[in-house]
Amino acid sequence: MYDFKPDPALNTAERYRQLCNAVDALTSDEPDCVANMANVAALIWEFIPDLNWSGFYRVGASKSGDKELVLGPFVGRPACIRIPLDKGVCGAAVSTGETQLVEDVHAFPGHIACDAASRSELVVPVLRDGAVVAVIDLDSPNPERFTSEDAAGLEKLALLLSDRV
Ligand code: SME
């Protein structure tokens, strides 16, 4: 049994540090990227409070052969399966290669609502050999849930996952 229960009193930086340690412990020796993404989505859910979705979209091929985002392992309500790279917060993270911290999803042009309860969102790209291969997507029902500390913590996690997803 894996029992990674964070102390509720942890500050944000320490919470992400412990999350990264738990992720490293579960993924360092596992070559299957689906298993790794599934455990990481579950660990994020355990460690990071006030989320209604945590998971992955991977850069894959569309039916016509173009690149687009394809739903990966996640915790939360069922989500849209395919996202064009020029759409939504996730698409913006891929096309810019940069973290998207959205305090109010209703104010983000083109935001894709998979769960009407979502109010804020944090999306961090995962890069391998300089190219975005996936994004980590966190949604919250709370407005302005995510801070630059969350972004920095999730970016460290994305670095760790570069060759594991
Ligand atoms: N809101 C995202 C879509 C994915 S869901 O949040 C799970 C977007 O605008 O790209």
Side-chain angles (χ1 to χ4, degrees), residues 15 18 31 39 47 56 58 69 82 105 137 159-160:
R15 189 172 287 278
Q18 293 191 15
N39 265 335
F47 274 81
F56 290 85
R58 289 173 305 140
L69 284 166
R82 291 176 178 272
V105 295
D137 183 11
L159 267 180
L160 177 65

Side-chain angles (χ1 to χ4, degrees), residues 52-57 69 71 74 77-80 83-84 87-92 105 108-115 118 120-121 123 135 137-139:
N52 61 334
W53 205 88
S54 85
F56 290 85
Y57 280 87
L69 284 166
L71 182 65
F74 67 93
R77 300 196 69 198
C80 46
I83 299 177
K87 302 281 188 226
V89 184
C90 293
V105 295
F108 187 97
H111 167 257
I112 300 164
C114 294
D115 181 344
S118 295
S120 56
E121 182 161 6
V123 182
V135 299
D137 183 11
L138 307 188
D139 286 4

Side-chain angles (χ1 to χ4, degrees), residues 57-60 69 125-128 131-135 161-162 165:
Y57 280 87
R58 289 173 305 140
V59 177
L69 284 166
V126 180
L127 284 91
R128 183 157 59 236
V132 180
V133 292
V135 299
L161 293 175
S162 173
V165 298

Side-chain angles (χ1 to χ4, degrees), residues 32-93:
D32 190 290
C33 64
V34 174
N36 286 338
M37 287 187 281
N39 265 335
V40 173
L43 282 168
I44 292 170
W45 190 262
E46 295 267 352
F47 274 81
I48 309 301
D50 304 319
L51 302 181
N52 61 334
W53 205 88
S54 85
F56 290 85
Y57 280 87
R58 289 173 305 140
V59 177
S62 72
K63 289 170 189 163
S64 58
D66 297 328
K67 282 187 178 175
E68 67 182 358
L69 284 166
V70 184
L71 182 65
F74 67 93
V75 180
R77 300 196 69 198
C80 46
I81 300 167
R82 291 176 178 272
I83 299 177
L85 297 189
D86 60 349
K87 302 281 188 226
V89 184
C90 293

